[in-house]
Amino acid sequence: MNALHLMVPRRNSWTPKVVRASAVTGFNLERVWETVELYFTKLQESGEWDGLRAAQQEKWMWREVTNLLLTRLNRDPTVREFALTLQADVVNGVVPPGIAAEQVVDKFLSSYR
């Protein structure tokens, strides 16, 4: 008996399976791999796999945008100095974090106008 039946499945096309196995002894490793392959097949057949991959690609794109913007922002000495000043003001409670962030971004973007 297991408690998996108490959990809500994360995928419409798959119900999690319990497979006892041991990497140390090799017991049931083939069955584990068969279960992994079956999972993959079910997700592909249902179309869920493509949706998951698309969502992953979208998430990666926006992570890259964020990383590139931060990298370029930090390369600009004027903006970096301005941000450090605001950071001190945030730490000292002079400026709220959201306002400081907006000012840093505005300063950075103004250099491209």
Side-chain angles (χ1 to χ4, degrees):
M1 179 174 260
N2 64 66
L4 278 180
H5 69 280
L6 300 174
M7 298 175 63
V8 177
R10 292 179 62 191
R11 308 283 174 250
N12 293 328
S13 60
W14 179 256
T15 302
K17 313 282 186 239
V18 175
V19 179
R20 288 182 357 149
S22 170
V24 174
T25 66
F27 171 73
N28 249 357
L29 291 184
E30 285 182 20
R31 187 157 174 228
V32 168
W33 188 245
E34 289 168 3
T35 304
V36 169
E37 288 178 326
L38 180 61
Y39 170 75
F40 182 71
T41 300
K42 293 285 187 183
L43 260 60
Q44 282 185 311
E45 288 173 352
S46 73
E48 281 185 272
W49 180 259
D50 292 336
L52 291 169
R53 285 292 289 159
Q56 183 183 47
Q57 296 288 3
E58 181 182 15
K59 187 176 184 177
W60 285 348
M61 182 195 86
W62 286 110
R63 185 175 299 142
E64 281 300 308
V65 167
T66 300
N67 289 338
L68 285 169
L69 284 172
L70 283 173
T71 298
R72 291 181 185 179
L73 186 145
N74 282 313
R75 282 186 190 156
D76 184 320
T78 304
V79 175
R80 188 174 59 245
E81 188 62 37
F82 181 67
L84 289 173
T85 301
L86 279 173
Q87 180 179 313
D89 290 344
V90 168
V91 169
N92 293 320
V94 176
V95 177
I99 299 296
E102 188 173 331
Q103 289 177 358
V104 169
V105 170
D106 287 348
K107 178 89 167 174
F108 176 65
L109 293 177
S110 71
S111 66
Y112 288 96
R113 291 182 186 150

